[in-house]
Amino acid sequence: VVEAVGHLTAVNIGYASAHDESGIQSLTNNAPSKFTLGTSTIIWTAIDGSGNLAVAPQQITVQDTTPPLITPISNVTLLAVHPTLNLVALDVPTTYDALGVLSIVNDAPEYFAIGTTAVTWTATDVVANTVAFIQYVHLVDW
């Protein structure tokens, strides 16, 4: 099992060995240079000195268990214009994932009240790995 580093991932598949009394003429495989996400089967083929052929499968699994990255953004402190009905425009944090970020969402309320509100930002990548961080919005009484 190998961790994906992008849409295509180079994998060291190792080596096969074959033995025969007449010697081994060739030992090859059909592996690509890079693998996609998921499980792939490659075939090793050995041909002995008499021309006899033997094959053996090898499974290669490339998976993505790495959550996306979020660059945290600063907390916000603003002067309130109303006790409970304050609009706050939040900057969206920068995100990155080797396979792609599917979404970046937050749980901010439509209106903010005076005081401190924790806003949780959650990034999800294309295979549903997630990461979250909290940004605080402080509204002070005018």
Side-chain angles (χ1 to χ4, degrees), residues 76 78 86-90 108-112 137 139:
V76 176
L78 297 171
N86 297 283
L87 293 173
V88 176
L90 297 174
E110 185 176 356
Y111 299 102
F112 288 80
V137 177
L139 287 177

Side-chain angles (χ1 to χ4, degrees), residues 21-131:
E21 289 180 10
S22 63
I24 299 299
Q25 197 169 30
S26 69
L27 179 59
T28 58
N29 66 65
N30 66 343
S33 60
K34 294 184 177 183
F35 291 82
T36 59
L37 202 61
T39 301
S40 301
T41 301
I42 63 170
I43 303 297
W44 288 91
T45 303
I47 299 175
D48 70 10
S50 300
N52 298 313
L53 177 103
V55 296
Q58 177 184 359
Q59 288 195 330
I60 304 294
T61 301
V62 177
Q63 64 183 8
D64 177 17
T65 61
T66 304
L69 300 174
I70 295 180
T71 302
I73 52 181
S74 299
N75 294 328
V76 176
T77 300
L78 297 171
L79 191 60
V81 296
H82 188 276
T84 59
L85 298 175
N86 297 283
L87 293 173
V88 176
L90 297 174
D91 292 332
V92 177
T94 302
T95 59
Y96 170 78
D97 187 82
L99 295 176
V101 175
L102 186 62
S103 67
I104 176 78
V105 297
N106 69 55
D107 64 353
E110 185 176 356
Y111 299 102
F112 288 80
I114 291 174
T116 300
T117 303
V119 175
T120 301
W121 289 90
T122 304
T124 304
D125 70 13
V126 296
V127 296
N129 295 314
T130 62
V131 66

